[in-house]
Amino acid sequence: MIYKYTEHIFDKEIGSITSYDSNITLLGSLFTQESGTHESNCFVSPLRIGIARYEHIFYQSLPSAIYYDETEDWIFQAELTAGVNRRISFWKYNKKTFEWSHRGVIKTGVVGIIETVRGLRAVLDEYVSGSVSSNGSSLTIYGTDTQWQSSNLCSGNRIGFGSNTRTGIDRWYEIASIDSDSQITLSGDNVSLSSGTPYVIQDLRIVMSCFGGVSISGGIFVAKGLRPELFTPIETQIPSGGTTDNQTGVYWLKDAPTVSNTGACGCAIDVSKTDWNTHYVYVVNSITGPKTNLYKYNIRQNLNGTLESNGGSTASHVLTTATQEVQYAPNAYGNGIITSLNHGPEPLEPSLYYIANRGLQRINVKRIKNNANWTDDAMSFKPPGGTQTFYLDPRYINTVDDSGILDKLILMSTHANSSRSLVSKYYSDGGKNADGIFEACTFMLHNNSGGVDRLPKIYNPVNVSTYISIIQGMMYVNRTTTITTYQQMFAIPIGADWLSAEQTNQRIITPKLYTERCKEFQRVYVNNNQSMGTGVSEYPTDPYRIYYRIHGIDNNTGKWIPVPVNGIFNDGVNSESIQFMLEFKTLGMFMNYPKIYSLGIAYVHDESDDNLLYSQTKSDPNTKEYVWWFKSAYGTIVPELEIKIYDQKTDAIIFIDSSASSLYGNWYKSIDSGATWNTYDDTDLTNTTTYLKYSATALYDNIQTTAILYTK
Amino acid sequence: MSTRIAEHVFNGATGSISAYSTSATLLGTLMRQGSGANTTDYWVGPMPIGIARPSETAIGVYSGYPQPFHYDDTTDWIFLNEISTASIVRRIMLFEYNKKSSEFNWRGYVGLSFPLSGNNTVVGFRASLERYTTGTISANGISAFGLGTSWIGDGLAEGSRIGFHTTDYASVSSWFEINTIKDDTQMILNDDVGTITSGTAYVIEDLRFVTVTTNSVVGNGGVYLTKGINFNNFAVSGNFVESSSKENGKGTTVLLDNMATGVTGTNNYAVGCAIGSFDSWNQQYLYVLDHGNTTTSHKIYKYNIRASLSSTLNRSRSTDAFVLSTGLQATLVTRVLNNNGIYATFNHGPGNGIPSFYFVTTTRVYRANISDITNGSTTWISDMMVEIPPGGITTYPLYNVFASVDDATNIDKLIIVTSGAGGARSYITSYNSIADPFDHEFLIDTKQYDQSSSDSRTTPQLSINAVPFHIGALSGISYLVRANASVANNQLYAVPISVDWTYASITNQRVITPKIDTPNNNYYNRVHASYPQYMGIPPFDIPVEPFRIYYRTLGIDDNTGTWNMVNVDGSLSGLQGSTSIQFMLEFKIIGSTCLPSRVYSLAVSYEDDSTDSHYQPSVSHSSTATKAFAWRFSTAYGGTVPTMRVKLYDAVAGTLLVNDTSTGATGSWEKSTDNGTVWGAYDTTDKTNDTTYIRYIPASLSDDIKVKGILLQA
């Protein structure tokens, strides 16, 4: 018996898993295939983890991520120490190279008192309605079917021409003023635009909830009229908005002339604006007692005519709920999200989720009403397997975010005492355990001197709180601590986790692998690194799992079947081709993803018995006679033999016939080198001139065939 | 040429790695081959981690301070003492550990009553197990008589057990408890042993325990020596042993350093103890570390636990065992208050070959030459080691929470356990006094509980759980108890620490496969391994530690070949084919999860010397008359045809007759693109139609022989 091996090495053509092709490797959007000069540089894996260091900038956190394009995400962070003119840091993350770049900083101030940022949201909206033109080369741009002013676009935003998608813009221009619904003025260089030119205006604004404990630091603050170019190493000062709305400035959204929203714990923002005049933000407010209430603001409310000299206005305030007593106060930072989960008590209903009472609270935003009570339901924090299986102190669950494509919530720990984080659907019945637990503190350092490059890029929380922002399956995790050694931010492709792979299609599919004359599959072998790092910093990789299919490969209709842990196939499974699919655990213990170098299948090759040797000289294709020399004895009577005739061109089996009951031909035996052919019998080898012959009677003419003879 | 694979599945014969064989899988002493009903039950790897739950036994005692003893190749004994809230009675637990099955068996417990009043908190616990076989014995009924024996003189204890007809304890079929030792040559047994003729060999198992405590009554803690307990006293229902006022009687005696100060002595601030080597039946020293009611100093009390106690023995108290105490010597913060101190001789560092006492403060490991532990000395500490994490403090932070130190055994390393506070990890390292970084950081806090009520899909794992471990190591197996007085966190684990790949060249803890045949091998491609990536069932999966593979193709039969490490991607690129190959595996266990991997099968893929897959033998265009060997060009290369090679074998003898290539050929190469009608010169143009054939006619070939021809890439 000969075992053959068909292998796929991951150094060949790739494509997107959304465009099925059985000839190439298909990757989910959160996977990569890399290449290099050495074989070990060629592999597939989930996107590698990128690490940014901010210890040399300033203490910052509460990341807010924006998906920009397939290559780039934007991440904004707030300065966390108390003070005036809190700074906002702007990072870009390249998802292809796994590299971070720090673009710069703006300073935001409005009231000039010491305050602490408790919540941060960055919002990027793009206005592309209508078209633009200019009178020759000019700074003045005219719009057709545009409503720039009534849509609350801001001077200081940027505009690009020639496309109505951001990726189609080659150059951006600063908007000096929004003159009317159909006229704007640029700053800098003139442009010359023909009528009907498409364009994009990027409206970037930063929303902050702050805490100083007094009315002059309460409410929320919105920096409008921003563009990426304002974020510079020299820290551009964004002034108070003053009495004119929709310009580059910071506006103070107040709930009342004397602000009562003084205990902000974060700010939750609707996933997208309702329209260009409506985009709601919700603030979970903590009151001594402990008590809690919620505030709702509209960050796209036009404030003109209501603004105070310091940019303050009550016009954005929508409502304040009733105040409710709670047993345990809401967590103070980064607390609250608005999202629509596709499960739970009210699937797809936008709801506010926030952490209080040592659990996760939920309320449908429709039921957040002025002066009304408001909690709908809650989820207690229980680890997988329950509290008999993992230690979990509910006080240590610190912040919540929506994983997005996984349709799960990420419940991040403070990591006090090396506590871990949870990933789970929202369970409001109070009895269900979370779906998964992830992270573990290895304490490996990634600061400058420790060597972000010297050590393997593996995430670990090192016992400090983390704040997160998740966008399109990428989780940006900030280790939030004043200890500079630990001040790093990680980019982790959690959306690639196997937990929801069926829904997300975050997988790797191999090309179709050919296994000609496969009699029986034996075992799948995968070559991958078992660990990352070396010596003192070597950590095991998180697992993956394998599926296979042998049907429906060409049209992607075949059902995937899990491969057992030892890769063994059930007896008798065989096919002329096979395909594999890989799923990975990216929300694991180490966030340390294996590199898959190759994957192959071992199988029993359909061969003639070793006792028999095909005789080319005595075979005759013209008479359709297939002859084997009886090379070695079986040691007993000859077992029942089968002959298998293959079409040489297609490797398809034409027929199988048996020496015990022949259907498609006749069997003969010769003990004199083929001089005389007698009736076949099962007597063992008697001399060296013994031959067996099969004469096919049911075989087309003019086809090229291969025959094998073997024990049935 | 096609890709073949040769595989070894770990379900065959095994042998010891110390007795080389090419036909069996060879295992280091701490390696195992599994078996069972399922294919996944067959594997090789380090012995699985065993787990016991002292707090979930019938008596439910929170336990720590493991003291392991080798019983035989299959079984270790592990004694534990209480870590529960202070009480008058302290219970010693006995677990048997089956090293073949990795399973613990709770044998039972013995309760100790102490001579002094008050509630005791155990801060140190050590056991000594020796076997006495001097002289011979005869017996009649319950009376036994020694010849050449010195049962009193050698301090044997009543209550110990005795076996007859052998001096090998493992061969004893029936044990009997000694009731009374009347003199050096006479003893009374509890049970009738019938008649045993004179000159019979025998063995007495001398088991004694030292329990060092602090006490709720100031001054009533101290050093308690318990003699005369035997294996059979450990029962599920328990047995209690009272204090003893009789020389070598069964029971507990308090060892005092000074009767003159009253009944308490001065060794009242003990934080741990260590037993020295067995010097004789009258001498084995105990070293008790004591902080002397200071926050920044330590001293040592030295006792002889085999000394006769009779001269001062009174009300279960004696000062006869006391040898000396040092003076207080300053140590750096902060003191550690229990399980502190070991006696060890390491073969490296400043204590190389020197019997030494090692102990910890939260930030230091201290070493004292045993010879420097002298009466009144205030300079008895030889040197110290500061905490420097592996890779230095730029790779891992300092934890500053050392809790204890132990000897890893077999690998000449110390295990430094932390308190686990905040998830602090522990260390395995050589000892140095020059601020070199430690060798390994190990363990991790996954917060997983391993109690019986935990989810059945979990796998036992040494999670720190913010709790220190107590460790007793023996012959490469470390017995770790998570020292916490809670059901959730009080478990005993058996972990084969010394199998770690770092020390494989010293310990030979490896797996070697049988010789794997690779017939018709042109060249090797890649090594493949089938193994689980994790233990436990998702979502309770925990990654296993890695293993590494070595290969050799030479010197397999006589075990002289050099091993070559396989690259991470398994590539054997450039390795010429051979008829066989052999693999060796080494495993990591000193890591984060400390879950050793296991391997189901190992395989090697290679290119064989069969006809290249782009060609198929053609019967119709081959000819015996002209000795032409023809092949149909069945599959295009997608480019220029590479240089081809023909090999002609004698089909009967298997010998190679012709080996010729398409460039610089000795025979004749031809090509036809019209189904063999016209044969022209051979070229390297790719397949153009379905009627393309090539053929080879050797320059010479004998007549009347059976020939097998193959075509492959050169």
Side-chain angles (χ1 to χ4, degrees):
Chain A
M1 198 147 51
I2 291 178
Y3 293 91
K4 292 211 171 181
Y5 189 66
T6 299
E7 182 177 47
H8 177 71
I9 298 171
F10 290 101
D11 61 355
K12 300 177 180 65
E13 187 181 356
I14 59 171
S16 167
I17 204 163
T18 56
S19 300
Y20 186 75
D21 182 342
S22 65
N23 297 310
I24 61 176
T25 299
L26 303 174
L27 304 176
S29 60
L30 297 171
F31 291 89
T32 180
Q33 177 172 299
E34 299 189 29
S35 59
T37 52
H38 193 272
E39 286 178 73
S40 59
N41 297 129
C42 303
F43 59 86
V44 288
S45 80
L47 297 181
R48 282 195 270 146
I49 288 177
I51 304 178
R53 293 182 291 109
Y54 64 89
E55 74 263 24
H56 58 293
I57 305 173
F58 54 78
Y59 173 36
Q60 55 190 267
S61 188
L62 304 175
S64 180
I66 293 171
Y67 175 89
Y68 194 73
D69 58 28
E70 284 186 357
T71 302
E72 205 167 85
D73 283 346
W74 291 0
I75 298 90
F76 297 85
Q77 296 203 114
E79 184 175 21
L80 270 205
T81 48
V84 297
N85 290 330
R86 294 302 74 201
R87 291 173 286 186
I88 306 296
S89 200
F90 173 36
W91 299 79
K92 287 184 178 179
Y93 181 66
N94 187 314
K95 293 172 280 190
K96 301 282 173 63
T97 63
F98 321 113
E99 289 177 353
W100 290 84
S101 64
H102 185 240
R103 308 304 295 178
V105 172
I106 59 170
K107 288 181 183 175
T108 62
V110 62
V111 290
I113 71 153
I114 293 174
E115 55 195 16
T116 303
V117 179
R118 287 277 188 83
L120 179 80
R121 302 291 172 189
V123 186
L124 178 66
D125 287 307
E126 290 180 340
Y127 192 94
V128 297
S129 296
S131 61
V132 293
S133 63
S134 66
N135 290 329
S137 178
S138 172
L139 291 175
T140 304
I141 308 299
Y142 300 101
T144 302
D145 298 329
T146 56
Q147 292 189 307
W148 293 329
Q149 202 163 60
S150 54
S151 296
N152 291 304
L153 301 177
C154 302
S155 60
N157 288 153
R158 69 181 188 178
I159 185 169
F161 306 106
S163 173
N164 55 20
T165 62
R166 62 179 69 163
T167 52
I169 303 297
D170 296 328
R171 181 180 172 183
W172 294 96
Y173 298 85
E174 179 189 347
I175 299 173
S177 61
I178 308 282
D179 307 319
S180 69
D181 270 349
S182 56
Q183 180 179 314
I184 60 175
T185 303
L186 305 181
S187 72
D189 297 336
N190 288 349
V191 294
S192 182
L193 303 171
S194 59
S195 175
T197 299
Y199 71 102
V200 178
I201 295 175
Q202 285 190 335
D203 180 345
L204 176 64
R205 48 186 75 192
I206 301 289
V207 183
M208 294 171 285
S209 63
C210 296
F211 177 81
V214 293
S215 61
I216 53 173
S217 62
I220 64 173
F221 302 89
V222 180
K224 302 180 186 178
L226 302 179
R227 61 188 185 282
E229 293 76 14
L230 287 172
F231 294 81
T232 65
I234 58 171
E235 303 183 350
T236 308
Q237 177 72 52
I238 307 299
S240 163
T243 56
T244 303
D245 195 14
N246 296 332
Q247 61 181 352
T248 301
V250 179
Y251 297 87
W252 181 14
L253 310 189
K254 304 162 69 172
D255 62 286
T258 300
V259 171
S260 61
N261 182 189
T262 57
C265 300
C267 58
I269 191 165
D270 275 352
V271 173
S272 59
K273 64 185 185 307
T274 308
D275 54 45
W276 285 97
N277 300 112
T278 314
H279 196 169
Y280 293 119
V281 168
Y282 302 81
V283 179
V284 177
N285 188 63
S286 182
I287 302 169
T288 304
K291 297 175 183 176
T292 308
N293 58 359
L294 304 177
Y295 289 80
K296 181 177 178 181
Y297 301 89
N298 176 12
I299 63 165
R300 296 202 71 87
Q301 174 69 45
N302 190 303
L303 305 178
N304 280 324
T306 67
L307 285 163
E308 302 162 0
S309 59
N310 61 3
S313 169
T314 60
S316 286
H317 177 243
V318 179
L319 62 83
T320 303
T321 66
T323 297
Q324 295 182 173
E325 290 190 359
V326 289
Q327 188 176 2
Y328 301 105
N331 288 14
Y333 287 84
N335 195 359
I337 57 166
I338 304 289
T339 195
S340 305
L341 299 175
N342 195 19
H343 66 266
E346 294 181 287
L348 300 178
E349 282 290 310
S351 298
L352 169 67
Y353 295 83
Y354 67 98
I355 293 170
N357 273 338
R358 297 182 182 173
L360 182 64
Q361 315 297 316
R362 184 193 75 90
I363 178 168
N364 188 319
V365 294
K366 287 191 299 197
R367 290 191 284 274
I368 298 176
K369 295 182 177 174
N370 200 37
N371 288 323
N373 287 326
W374 33 281
T375 296
D376 277 344
D377 40 56
M379 171 181 174
S380 54
F381 301 135
K382 293 183 178 175
T387 53
Q388 299 292 305
T389 303
F390 287 102
Y391 170 81
L392 188 143
D393 188 330
R395 290 175 301 173
Y396 296 157
I397 296 298
N398 194 40
T399 188
V400 60
D401 205 348
D402 181 3
S403 68
I405 59 177
L406 296 175
D407 192 33
K408 309 270 184 191
L409 294 166
I410 300 293
L411 296 157
M412 290 300 279
S413 162
T414 64
H415 308 108
N417 264 335
S418 290
S419 58
R420 302 175 69 189
S421 298
L422 302 175
V423 53
S424 184
K425 287 189 172 180
Y426 179 79
Y427 298 120
S428 60
D429 60 11
K432 271 200 155 184
N433 300 322
D435 300 331
I437 188 165
F438 68 100
E439 305 176 304
C441 292
T442 65
F443 293 96
M444 191 169 59
L445 303 176
H446 281 105
N447 61 315
N448 190 27
S449 55
V452 70
D453 295 321
R454 180 168 62 88
L455 300 172
K457 290 190 168 92
I458 304 169
Y459 165 71
N460 91 88
V462 292
N463 268 15
V464 299
S465 288
T466 54
Y467 290 92
I468 59 174
S469 182
I470 303 169
I471 191 78
Q472 303 274 12
M474 291 297 298
M475 179 167 77
Y476 296 95
V477 186
N478 180 292
R479 291 204 294 226
T480 305
T481 171
T482 55
I483 303 169
T484 55
T485 312
Y486 300 159
Q487 289 181 339
Q488 289 92 37
M489 182 162 51
F490 297 77
I492 306 172
I494 63 162
D497 192 83
W498 66 20
L499 207 55
S500 303
E502 198 169 345
Q503 290 76 41
T504 63
N505 213 14
Q506 291 294 344
R507 298 157 156 165
I508 295 172
I509 297 177
T510 69
K512 178 162 78 172
L513 306 184
Y514 292 94
T515 51
E516 291 91 354
R517 291 203 218 165
C518 168
K519 191 172 183 182
E520 184 178 44
F521 289 123
Q522 290 293 299
R523 197 187 292 263
V524 180
Y525 281 105
V526 182
N527 283 74
N528 64 276
N529 59 337
Q530 304 169 53
S531 59
M532 202 90 83
T534 56
V536 299
S537 57
E538 181 168 21
Y539 290 91
T541 48
D542 286 308
Y544 59 87
R545 59 192 177 198
I546 315 168
Y547 299 80
Y548 79 95
R549 65 181 175 190
I550 55 177
H551 302 296
I553 296 175
D554 291 336
N555 58 8
N556 194 23
T557 56
K559 185 183 175 189
W560 293 103
I561 301 164
V563 174
V565 65
N566 59 356
I568 284 186
F569 276 71
N570 291 329
D571 291 344
V573 176
N574 66 80
S575 174
E576 295 288 300
S577 61
I578 191 167
Q579 190 179 35
F580 295 98
M581 179 173 76
L582 297 165
E583 295 178 349
F584 293 75
K585 185 166 190 172
T586 61
L587 276 166
M589 187 173 288
F590 299 112
M591 318 295 224
N592 185 16
Y593 309 136
K595 301 172 179 177
I596 310 293
Y597 305 112
S598 64
L599 185 155
I601 175 77
Y603 60 96
V604 179
H605 194 241
D606 216 354
E607 301 269 352
S608 293
D609 281 359
D610 289 343
N611 310 69
L612 308 166
L613 183 66
Y614 187 67
S615 172
Q616 286 191 338
T617 56
K618 298 191 189 307
S619 297
D620 185 347
N622 296 320
T623 58
K624 299 168 186 171
E625 291 179 329
Y626 302 88
V627 179
W628 284 264
W629 175 48
F630 203 150
K631 181 182 169 186
S632 58
Y634 281 90
T636 175
I637 61 169
V638 176
E640 180 182 353
L641 298 177
E642 275 189 348
I643 186 170
K644 196 179 286 182
I645 309 288
Y646 284 94
D647 183 323
Q648 274 194 0
K649 284 186 182 174
T650 64
D651 261 321
I653 298 170
I654 299 172
F655 66 74
I656 300 172
D657 209 354
S658 164
S659 61
S661 61
S662 184
L663 295 174
Y664 309 113
N666 299 307
W667 297 78
Y668 302 96
K669 184 174 181 180
S670 168
I671 55 173
D672 56 4
S673 287
T676 308
W677 288 101
N678 303 309
T679 305
Y680 175 81
D681 63 46
D682 59 7
T683 306
D684 204 3
L685 177 68
T686 51
N687 62 29
T688 59
T689 56
T690 304
Y691 287 80
L692 306 181
K693 180 168 77 173
Y694 179 81
S695 179
T697 56
L699 192 61
Y700 293 116
D701 294 334
N702 299 322
I703 57 172
Q704 281 134 349
T705 58
T706 298
I708 60 167
L709 185 62
Y710 56 92
T711 302
K712 183 179 180 184
Chain B
M1 193 163 55
S2 63
T3 307
R4 287 202 204 184
I5 192 164
E7 180 184 61
H8 179 72
V9 181
F10 290 103
N11 58 7
T14 63
S16 167
I17 203 164
S18 59
Y20 185 74
S21 165
T22 60
S23 57
T25 298
L26 304 178
L27 305 173
T29 56
L30 298 174
M31 296 292 177
R32 300 287 178 265
Q33 177 170 298
S35 62
N38 303 309
T39 56
T40 51
D41 296 328
Y42 290 89
W43 51 267
V44 289
M47 55 196 293
I49 291 176
I51 183 170
R53 301 177 176 92
S55 59
E56 295 190 54
T57 57
I59 190 66
V61 174
Y62 302 126
S63 303
Y65 305 101
Q67 291 292 289
F69 290 95
H70 174 90
Y71 189 74
D72 57 27
D73 284 347
T74 302
T75 306
D76 281 353
W77 291 353
I78 301 95
F79 297 98
L80 306 176
N81 207 323
E82 287 200 54
I83 58 170
S84 309
T85 307
S87 172
I88 295 172
V89 173
R90 299 285 76 176
R91 289 159 292 192
I92 298 174
M93 308 272 272
L94 171 58
F95 285 86
E96 296 171 281
Y97 183 61
N98 186 316
K99 293 172 280 189
K100 302 284 172 63
S101 65
S102 294
E103 289 179 351
F104 281 99
N105 172 51
W106 179 53
R107 174 74 187 177
Y109 75 97
V110 168
L112 305 181
S113 292
F114 295 106
L116 304 182
S117 61
N119 292 332
N120 286 289
T121 298
V122 178
V123 295
F125 175 63
R126 294 289 184 255
S128 171
L129 176 62
E130 299 294 339
R131 284 153 181 128
Y132 189 90
T133 59
T134 303
T136 58
I137 203 166
S138 63
N140 186 10
I142 60 171
S143 297
F145 307 94
L147 182 62
T149 56
S150 183
W151 293 332
I152 291 288
D154 286 338
L156 297 177
E158 295 168 355
S160 298
R161 68 179 189 175
I162 184 170
F164 301 102
H165 307 295
T166 180
T167 57
D168 175 18
Y169 67 91
S171 301
V172 173
S173 55
S174 299
W175 291 94
F176 299 88
E177 184 169 320
I178 299 169
N179 182 282
T180 309
I181 298 176
K182 299 175 74 171
D183 57 33
D184 275 346
T185 59
Q186 277 195 76
M187 66 171 62
I188 304 298
L189 307 175
N190 275 355
D191 296 303
D192 186 336
V193 297
T195 300
I196 294 174
T197 58
S198 61
T200 297
Y202 74 101
V203 56
I204 296 172
E205 221 168 50
D206 180 88
L207 180 62
R208 53 188 69 193
F209 300 101
V210 174
T211 307
V212 178
T213 72
T214 56
N215 195 287
S216 57
V217 177
V218 176
N220 277 7
V223 181
Y224 294 92
L225 174 64
T226 304
K227 302 179 186 176
I229 292 178
N230 70 66
F231 175 83
N232 296 326
N233 296 145
F234 289 88
V236 170
S237 56
N239 279 298
F240 278 85
V241 175
E242 302 299 326
S243 52
S244 173
S245 291
K246 181 182 179 184
E247 168 74 349
N248 294 326
K250 180 171 188 161
T252 302
T253 305
V254 60
L255 307 184
L256 299 173
D257 61 293
N258 187 353
M259 284 279 205
T261 59
V263 294
T264 60
T266 63
N267 189 182
N268 294 315
Y269 302 99
V271 295
C273 62
I275 285 183
S277 58
F278 174 83
D279 300 326
S280 73
W281 285 100
N282 299 115
Q283 181 174 301
Q284 186 173 17
Y285 292 119
L286 172 75
Y287 303 88
V288 180
L289 186 67
D290 188 299
H291 63 67
N293 202 22
T294 72
T295 57
T296 57
S297 298
H298 287 88
K299 64 189 297 188
I300 286 183
Y301 288 79
K302 180 177 179 180
Y303 300 86
N304 177 9
I305 63 167
R306 296 196 178 274
S308 170
L309 305 179
S310 59
S311 74
T312 60
L313 188 59
N314 179 24
R315 293 183 298 146
S316 305
R317 302 161 171 81
S318 174
T319 60
D320 289 359
F322 176 68
V323 179
L324 61 84
S325 63
T326 68
L328 284 165
Q329 183 171 354
T331 50
L332 288 169
V333 293
T334 296
R335 64 190 186 190
V336 170
L337 297 179
N338 63 57
N339 194 37
N340 199 355
I342 58 164
Y343 176 100
T345 305
F346 291 102
N347 294 317
H348 67 267
N352 186 357
I354 303 170
S356 301
F357 182 85
Y358 294 82
F359 69 100
V360 296
T361 62
T362 53
T363 61
R364 303 283 190 281
V365 179
Y366 287 90
R367 186 186 72 84
N369 288 344
I370 291 297
S371 59
D372 291 338
I373 297 173
T374 56
N375 198 36
S377 171
T378 57
T379 57
W380 53 275
I381 294 175
S382 305
D383 38 56
M384 67 175 180
M385 175 165 70
V386 295
E387 181 180 11
I388 305 289
I393 58 172
T394 58
T395 301
Y396 293 100
L398 295 170
Y399 300 121
N400 293 328
V401 286
F402 289 172
S404 68
V405 60
D406 216 309
D407 180 356
T409 71
N410 284 15
I411 57 174
D412 195 33
K413 300 289 173 187
L414 289 77
I415 303 176
I416 302 170
V417 174
T418 71
S419 70
R425 303 179 66 192
S426 294
Y427 300 107
I428 292 178
T429 186
S430 298
Y431 180 86
N432 74 83
S433 57
I434 54 175
D436 272 354
F438 292 177
D439 298 332
H440 307 274
E441 187 140 339
F442 87 120
L443 301 177
I444 198 169
D445 199 333
T446 66
K447 299 297 178 199
Q448 180 181 297
Y449 291 136
D450 286 333
Q451 50 193 332
S452 60
S453 58
S454 297
D455 195 289
S456 60
R457 292 169 291 176
T458 58
T459 191
Q461 191 255 333
L462 290 159
S463 175
I464 296 168
N465 291 357
V467 168
F469 282 97
H470 288 176
I471 299 181
L474 178 71
S475 302
I477 301 175
S478 288
Y479 294 94
L480 299 96
V481 185
R482 201 182 287 111
N484 184 258
S486 72
V487 172
N489 266 331
N490 187 222
Q491 286 85 30
L492 165 64
Y493 299 87
V495 186
I497 290 285
S498 73
V499 303
D500 190 78
W501 63 19
T502 310
Y503 307 102
S505 61
I506 303 167
T507 62
N508 214 13
Q509 294 295 346
R510 296 158 158 162
V511 174
I512 296 178
T513 69
K515 180 165 74 173
I516 299 172
D517 291 331
T518 53
N520 306 98
N521 186 353
N522 203 21
Y523 59 83
Y524 287 105
N525 279 342
R526 202 183 288 270
V527 179
H528 311 274
S530 174
Y531 63 96
Q533 303 163 59
Y534 55 84
M535 299 286 179
I537 299 171
F540 305 98
D541 49 296
I542 301 174
V544 294
E545 300 287 352
F547 60 91
R548 58 191 178 198
I549 309 171
Y550 297 80
Y551 75 92
R552 65 181 176 190
T553 56
L554 301 171
I556 296 175
D557 290 336
D558 57 2
N559 195 22
T560 57
T562 301
W563 292 104
N564 308 286
M565 192 186 297
V566 176
N567 190 39
V568 63
D569 59 3
S571 174
L572 295 177
S573 176
L575 182 63
Q576 280 300 308
S578 64
T579 56
S580 59
I581 194 167
Q582 189 180 37
F583 296 103
M584 180 172 75
L585 298 169
E586 295 178 348
F587 294 81
K588 179 176 182 176
I589 193 169
I590 302 173
S592 47
T593 67
C594 297
L595 280 179
S597 191
R598 50 183 58 174
V599 179
Y600 302 118
S601 64
L602 265 180
V604 61
S605 56
Y606 61 96
E607 295 304 315
D608 69 10
D609 58 4
S610 62
T611 289
D612 187 276
S613 60
H614 300 84
Y615 297 91
Q616 291 167 338
S618 169
V619 172
S620 56
H621 295 301
S622 298
S623 168
T624 51
T626 62
K627 297 173 182 172
F629 295 82
W631 291 268
R632 191 176 77 87
F633 202 154
S634 58
T635 308
Y637 282 93
T640 303
V641 176
T643 302
M644 302 303 296
R645 180 184 299 276
V646 160
K647 286 184 176 179
L648 302 181
Y649 290 93
D650 183 317
V652 178
T655 52
L656 183 64
L657 304 174
V658 173
N659 184 356
D660 202 1
T661 56
S662 57
T663 57
T666 57
S668 170
W669 292 74
E670 293 176 317
K671 183 174 179 180
S672 167
T673 57
D674 59 0
N675 207 14
T677 304
V678 178
W679 290 95
Y682 177 82
D683 62 39
T684 58
T685 305
D686 205 1
K687 178 189 173 188
T688 51
N689 62 30
D690 280 342
T691 55
T692 305
Y693 288 79
I694 66 169
R695 72 179 181 186
Y696 175 78
I697 300 170
S700 66
L701 192 66
S702 303
D703 295 332
D704 300 324
I705 56 172
K706 295 181 177 69
V707 177
K708 177 184 175 185
I710 59 169
L711 177 68
L712 63 161
Q713 293 179 38

